[in-house]
Amino acid sequence: MSLSEEKQKVLKSRMIRIVLILVFALVIYSTKQNQQTHPERISKETVEAQKQSTDRDFEKKTGITSSSVFKQRSAQEEKAASGKTVDNMILREQDLTSNSKSRTTEPEPPGRNSKQTPAKSSRPPPGGKEQDPKSKSELGQLRDLGGKVWESAAGLKYGPGSQEKHRLLHVMKHAKDEPDRPGKHGVFAGEGIRKNVLALIDEAYLKALAGGRNVNKKNEGTRVVYTVDMGRPVGYVGGRVGNQQGKPQAYKVRLVLEGTSVITAFPL
């Protein structure tokens, strides 16, 4: 055998070993890849199969599809969210106006030796002269009774109802003019600040309870309608008719109540 033939055999054997090593490495790499992806695929398929099996068992036992349950739950959550929206609007507006300076209900400065009581407290200050819990400085403030019901300082209650979903939101529609609204639209004074508007309504309610020649009372089924002459301008008449008449001043307040619950209130 010649020297060249021996070299060729040596080179051939080396090439064969290199090829075998590469093949072996590829087999090991492919095996590891399958081990990484196969359990994940099995896990996903197993979870999906268990979910479908659970849904079938639920439908057999109750006759209700799981998809309908999720739809009912989402509808209930949406309804609860809308209720929270009204509460949030009320709380946000109260926070924005609680620190505003009211021109119509600005409290008198306390005396040197007197002690102030927090605005939401109905208790008199310790010692000294008792204050009227329905004093003018407190009118227009609200306290939460729960269940989306709010009570004013004069004892009027504002709860769910009306097209606006809450009586407070309905009453506050009379805090600004609607020039394109057909007919008349009473607008309270108070620069659109809710505390000022509710203070006027509280004041009108207290006058209605006191009675007198400036108060007209009318019963309409379960409702009582008060028309109270406030003796001063408390707003103006807006709407399409009011704007045509030059927005005449309003001296009276119309209150429609069921017990102490406000249905509506507006100036006229």
Side-chain angles (χ1 to χ4, degrees):
M1 184 180 294
S2 64
L3 183 62
S4 63
E5 288 179 352
E6 290 180 0
K7 287 183 178 181
Q8 287 179 358
K9 285 184 178 181
V10 172
L11 290 173
K12 198 172 185 179
S13 64
R14 287 180 179 178
M15 290 295 294
I16 291 172
R17 285 198 297 268
I18 292 171
V19 170
L20 288 175
I21 291 170
L22 289 173
V23 171
F24 184 70
L26 287 173
V27 169
I28 293 175
Y29 177 76
S30 177
T31 302
K32 287 184 177 181
Q33 287 295 105
N34 289 334
Q35 288 177 352
Q36 289 178 356
T37 58
H38 186 64
E40 294 179 359
R41 184 168 64 252
I42 292 176
S43 178
K44 291 181 180 179
E45 292 175 354
T46 303
V47 172
E48 186 64 26
Q50 289 177 351
K51 182 179 179 182
Q52 292 178 358
S53 176
T54 303
D55 291 344
R56 284 195 298 270
D57 292 342
F58 181 79
E59 292 177 14
K60 287 180 181 180
K61 292 179 180 180
T62 63
I64 302 174
T65 62
S66 59
S67 59
S68 64
V69 172
F70 287 126
K71 288 180 181 179
Q72 291 176 359
R73 185 178 298 173
S74 62
Q76 292 175 353
E77 291 175 352
E78 184 178 352
K79 184 176 180 181
S82 64
K84 290 180 179 179
T85 302
V86 174
D87 285 346
N88 290 337
M89 290 175 64
I90 296 170
L91 289 170
R92 184 169 62 252
E93 187 177 345
Q94 186 163 7
D95 289 339
L96 290 174
T97 59
S98 61
N99 295 325
S100 300
K101 185 176 290 186
S102 172
R103 295 184 179 180
T104 59
T105 60
E106 184 176 1
E108 295 180 1
R112 179 181 299 179
N113 297 324
S114 63
K115 296 182 180 180
Q116 285 184 295
T117 303
K120 293 184 179 180
S121 174
S122 60
R123 294 177 298 176
K129 185 178 179 180
E130 290 190 0
Q131 296 179 352
D132 182 2
K134 297 177 182 178
S135 64
K136 193 170 182 179
S137 62
E138 293 183 351
L139 298 183
Q141 297 182 9
L142 295 172
R143 67 187 185 102
D144 188 1
L145 299 181
K148 301 184 181 67
V149 179
W150 299 75
E151 185 181 51
S152 73
L156 291 173
K157 294 181 178 65
Y158 298 86
S162 74
Q163 294 180 350
E164 294 77 18
K165 307 301 182 184
H166 201 280
R167 299 296 181 184
L168 270 175
L169 302 179
H170 171 73
V171 167
M172 286 308 297
K173 291 195 72 174
H174 291 281
K176 61 181 180 179
D177 193 13
E178 295 182 11
D180 297 328
R181 179 174 177 175
K184 299 179 179 180
H185 178 69
V187 181
F188 281 107
E191 300 178 351
I193 298 174
R194 192 185 67 190
K195 181 181 177 182
N196 296 347
V197 172
L198 298 184
L200 287 173
I201 297 174
D202 273 353
E203 185 182 351
Y205 177 60
L206 294 177
K207 287 180 178 290
L209 293 180
R213 58 188 182 89
N214 292 328
V215 177
N216 180 271
K217 179 180 178 181
K218 183 180 179 182
N219 293 312
E220 295 183 356
T222 59
R223 297 180 177 180
V224 179
V225 180
Y226 291 103
T227 303
V228 183
D229 188 344
M230 303 293 285
R232 70 181 192 280
V234 290
Y236 63 89
V237 179
R240 191 173 297 173
V241 172
N243 279 269
Q244 290 174 353
Q245 297 175 350
K247 297 182 179 179
Q249 290 182 329
Y251 290 82
K252 299 179 180 180
V253 173
R254 173 71 51 82
L255 293 174
V256 181
L257 309 175
E258 281 188 356
T260 57
S261 297
V262 176
I263 304 301
T264 189
F266 55 88
L268 71 160

